[in-house]
């Protein structure tokens, strides 16, 4: 991996899976351990995640602290995008499906699609999330891509599970900045909010599985507010199925003139 033009904390190191395949397993545990269990049961993830470890190794980055411990990770994969808002994938799942489809058909790619950023819970609030967003931007530039697109999972949405994502996407604080902290960071680093995506990820399971994933009982059919779910989960006891659509927000980081507007590595 070429050197990415990103300022790191002293002693920290940014490495890719290509450079350090020995980290793949630990990074997987690091990522998996922070999500609520139900988020680990998206069928698209289960179908395609291996591509990140088999094919797109340069796009999976791990931030190591001075002692070699994992402080943060990011995952992304390339896809073809026509550059229009209407041409964005429907949601996160659709983005990943497009990546897999473009790979299978040999379609030339021109865009980096963000999939995930995770910061060690003990180190949150220290600026590492911004480092990992910048690393994705810089990696996209190294590929010669014009944009980084992200179907962002808004980190505060679970506290407002009944708010429509199309409206939540444009909520602002009194200072005019985006209400959601994670969307706000993307915008601070140059992204533009495009729209809400109400069915960005789809998670299905039998009722007993949902009960196991959430530690809740679902005695009746209907919609349930579930801890850390950003929208209600619909349980249908007759069909023995629960369905959850994770609502996300599309943001676009245009990178062609970003060197002037948001120098990679600068502190926002
Ligand atoms: C999302 C994540 C990467 C952000 O990392 P972070 O270190 O907290 O990020 P920052 O310190 O830059 O904080 C970004 C903003 O969130 C705010 N914030 C941080 N932790 C917060 C919390 N627990 N609750 C509310 N706001 C929080 C910060 O104050 C900052 O807001 P500001 O604009 O007022 O400064 C991290 O929380 C994480 O790993 N979450 C779990 C995985 C995840 O949800 N990833 C994103 C979707 S893939």
């Amino acid at each position: 991996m070429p050197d990415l033009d990103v300022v790191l904390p002293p002693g920290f190191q940014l490495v890719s899976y290509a450079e350090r395949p020995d980290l793949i397993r630990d990074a997987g545990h690091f990522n998996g351990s922070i999500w609520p269990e139900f988020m680990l049961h998206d069928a698209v993830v289960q179908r395609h995640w291996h591509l990140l470890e088999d094919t797109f190794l340069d796009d999976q980055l791990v931030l190591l602290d001075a002692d070699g411990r994992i402080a943060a990770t990011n995952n992304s994969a390339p896809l073809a995008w026509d550059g229009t808002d209407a041409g964005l994938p429907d949601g996160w799942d659709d983005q990943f499906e497009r990546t897999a489809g473009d790979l299978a058909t040999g379609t030339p790619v021109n865009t980096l699609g963000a999939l995930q950023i995770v910061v060690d819970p003990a180190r949150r609030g220290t600026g590492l999330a911004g480092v990992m967003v910048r690393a994705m931007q810089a990696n996209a530039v190294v590929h010669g891509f014009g944009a980084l697109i992200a179907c962002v999972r808004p980190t505060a949405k679970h506290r407002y599970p009944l708010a429509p994502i199309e409206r939540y996407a444009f909520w602002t604080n009194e200072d005019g900045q985006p209400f959601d902290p994670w969307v706000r960071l993307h915008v601070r680093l140059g992204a533009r909010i495009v729209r809400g995506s109400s069915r960005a990820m789809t998670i299905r399971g039998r009722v007993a599985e949902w009960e196991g994933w959430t530690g809740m009982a679902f005695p009746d059919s209907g919609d349930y507010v579930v801890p850390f779910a950003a929208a209600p989960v619909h349980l249908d006891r007759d069909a023995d199925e629960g369905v959850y659509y994770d609502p996300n927000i599309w943001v676009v980081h245009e990178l062609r003139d970003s060197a002037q507007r948001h120098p990679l590595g600068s502190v926002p």
Side-chain angles (χ1 to χ4, degrees), residues 1 18 69 95 137 175 204 212 247:
M1 184 178 76
R69 283 193 303 255
Q95 175 190 301
Q137 293 175 330
D175 62 5
R204 286 179 199 277

Side-chain angles (χ1 to χ4, degrees), residues 34-35 117-119 124-125 129 155 159 181-182 184-185 188:
I34 61 95
W35 291 108
I117 289 179
V118 176
V119 171
R124 291 194 188 151
T155 49
R159 294 192 212 146
W182 188 217
R184 186 159 68 236
L185 184 65
R188 242 189 243 148

Side-chain angles (χ1 to χ4, degrees), residues 30-31 34-35 72-73 92 114-121 123-133 151-156 158-159 173 177-186 188 248:
F30 175 86
N31 292 335
I34 61 95
W35 291 108
T73 61
W92 191 102
L115 291 169
Q116 167 171 258
I117 289 179
V118 176
V119 171
D120 175 356
R123 299 174 191 264
R124 291 194 188 151
T126 64
L128 298 186
V131 169
M132 298 313 279
V133 174
C151 199
V152 168
R153 184 167 204 268
T155 49
H158 68 98
R159 294 192 212 146
N173 291 333
Q177 292 197 66
F179 172 84
D180 186 85
W182 188 217
V183 175
R184 186 159 68 236
L185 184 65
H186 278 269
R188 242 189 243 148
N248 293 180

Side-chain angles (χ1 to χ4, degrees), residues 178-222:
F179 172 84
D180 186 85
W182 188 217
V183 175
R184 186 159 68 236
L185 184 65
H186 278 269
V187 168
R188 242 189 243 148
L189 294 175
R192 172 174 65 85
I193 300 172
V194 178
R195 61 174 164 81
S197 167
S198 58
R199 296 184 172 194
M201 300 177 89
T202 300
I203 293 159
R204 286 179 199 277
R206 288 182 289 109
V207 174
E209 287 177 314
W210 275 101
E211 291 182 337
W213 297 341
T214 60
M216 291 171 68
F218 301 109
D220 206 352
S221 291

Side-chain angles (χ1 to χ4, degrees), residues 18-190:
E19 294 165 305
R20 292 285 308 271
D22 57 301
L23 288 174
I24 294 177
R25 180 190 290 246
D26 285 351
H29 287 141
F30 175 86
N31 292 335
S33 67
I34 61 95
W35 291 108
E37 178 64 30
F38 64 86
M39 286 300 294
L40 303 177
H41 296 272
D42 175 315
V44 175
V45 171
Q46 289 170 357
R47 208 157 45 239
H48 297 315
W49 197 262
H50 71 95
L51 294 176
L52 309 184
E53 299 169 1
D54 300 340
T55 306
F56 302 118
L57 286 89
D58 284 332
D59 301 323
Q60 321 316 318
L61 306 181
V62 180
L63 184 68
L64 299 171
D65 70 10
D67 297 323
R69 283 193 303 255
I70 298 178
T73 61
N74 71 26
N75 300 105
S76 63
L79 71 158
W81 174 47
D82 67 6
T84 68
D85 290 354
L88 283 170
D90 284 345
W92 191 102
D93 282 349
D94 190 31
Q95 175 190 301
F96 208 179
E97 293 277 26
R98 286 204 200 177
T99 287
D102 290 343
L103 180 69
T105 55
T107 303
V109 292
N110 60 357
T111 300
L112 193 62
L115 291 169
Q116 167 171 258
I117 289 179
V118 176
V119 171
D120 175 356
R123 299 174 191 264
R124 291 194 188 151
T126 64
L128 298 186
V131 169
M132 298 313 279
V133 174
R134 287 196 200 92
M136 272 189 190
Q137 293 175 330
N139 201 28
V141 169
V142 163
H143 282 304
F145 295 163
L148 166 70
I149 62 173
C151 199
V152 168
R153 184 167 204 268
T155 49
K157 178 70 174 71
H158 68 98
R159 294 192 212 146
Y160 305 89
L162 306 182
I165 192 69
E166 295 80 2
R167 296 182 66 81
Y168 180 90
F170 294 99
W171 285 8
T172 54
N173 291 333
E174 279 179 6
D175 62 5
Q177 292 197 66
F179 172 84
D180 186 85
W182 188 217
V183 175
R184 186 159 68 236
L185 184 65
H186 278 269
V187 168
R188 242 189 243 148
L189 294 175

